[in-house]
Amino acid sequence: MNQNLADELFTMMTEDQRLLQQLFDSGELPLDSYHPRMKALHEQNASRLKEIIGAHGWPSVSLVGEETAKAAWLVVQHSVSDPEFMGKCVSLLEDAAAREDVAGWQLAFLKDRVRTLSGEPQYYGTQFDTDEKGWPTPFPIEDSATVNERRARLGLNSIEERQEQMTEQERKRRANVEQTS
């Protein structure tokens, strides 16, 4: 395992999550647009991840450990300013997932994110929007009749179970808002 690389990727993930929480806590998020500080950090992290991939390949479990492989995934998942890079990383994650060197859910979330950002239907049903009442609903899914089979192959629960989890999170969020109002 490359500990220096693992430490660097872990720091990138930690800073991403720290800034995200700071912006939520200060009331600067959510916004209808990409927060400039978040965008700058995401672009900086993506740039560095490109260098890492160029030198080492995808930062998989065997290279950086399980938690840090998750950090690499988070960096690319947030690099929405560079959809071409995200698409290249889907291929890298497909290879790593086939070798069982990354968690399958990482591939599912990134592939779906790339597809929904480009206006295509998602494949695994990981990306959600909200309906007119603000409740979570999955973005369109390609071949939705077999989505649960695809999800199960990567270790994900059913789309129905996931939607119920998302709905429950929204119920709790709404209850929290009511208590603090």
Side-chain angles (χ1 to χ4, degrees):
M1 185 168 108
N2 185 325
Q3 191 60 52
N4 289 338
L5 191 56
D7 292 346
E8 181 180 4
L9 286 163
F10 190 79
T11 298
M12 290 164 68
M13 176 181 70
T14 302
E15 179 60 19
D16 177 289
Q17 296 301 286
R18 185 201 61 75
L19 179 58
L20 182 65
Q21 190 62 53
Q22 178 187 18
L23 294 173
F24 270 114
D25 291 348
S26 70
E28 294 180 63
L29 286 179
L31 285 177
D32 289 335
S33 60
Y34 202 175
H35 193 285
R37 287 176 54 205
M38 202 84 246
K39 181 179 185 208
L41 180 63
H42 288 163
E43 288 174 353
Q44 173 188 325
N45 286 348
S47 177
R48 178 62 185 129
L49 183 58
K50 287 177 192 177
E51 293 170 359
I52 291 168
I53 290 169
H56 303 277
W58 181 259
S60 60
V61 173
S62 60
L63 180 63
V64 295
E66 189 172 339
E67 188 64 24
T68 310
K70 179 179 161 186
W73 165 81
L74 181 79
V75 168
V76 74
Q77 186 79 356
H78 288 172
S79 51
V80 294
S81 296
D82 194 344
E84 184 179 328
F85 172 60
M86 292 176 79
K88 288 177 183 174
C89 289
V90 167
S91 296
L92 296 172
L93 276 169
E94 286 172 338
D95 292 344
R99 295 188 317 271
E100 297 182 357
D101 205 9
V102 295
W105 63 263
Q106 294 173 7
L107 169 61
F109 275 81
L110 183 60
K111 184 171 186 163
D112 280 356
R113 184 146 209 190
V114 168
R115 290 180 74 138
T116 57
L117 288 173
S118 67
E120 296 176 54
Q122 59 182 327
Y123 194 67
Y124 295 102
T126 64
Q127 304 296 293
F128 281 71
D129 197 3
T130 53
D131 66 16
E132 64 282 346
K133 294 181 181 176
W135 294 104
T137 183
F139 278 102
I141 302 169
E142 179 180 307
D143 192 14
S144 60
T146 59
V147 70
N148 284 331
E149 293 168 27
R150 293 189 299 273
R151 290 175 65 86
R153 279 195 302 268
L154 294 182
L156 298 170
N157 60 359
S158 73
I159 189 72
E160 294 81 11
E161 290 168 324
R162 182 61 179 147
Q163 185 161 11
E164 183 52 40
Q165 288 172 334
M166 301 279 292
T167 300
E168 185 57 30
Q169 286 175 338
E170 179 59 16
R171 275 191 199 103
K172 288 178 181 176
R173 188 196 69 76
R174 290 179 185 196
N176 237 5
V177 168
E178 286 178 19
Q179 287 178 351
T180 58
S181 298

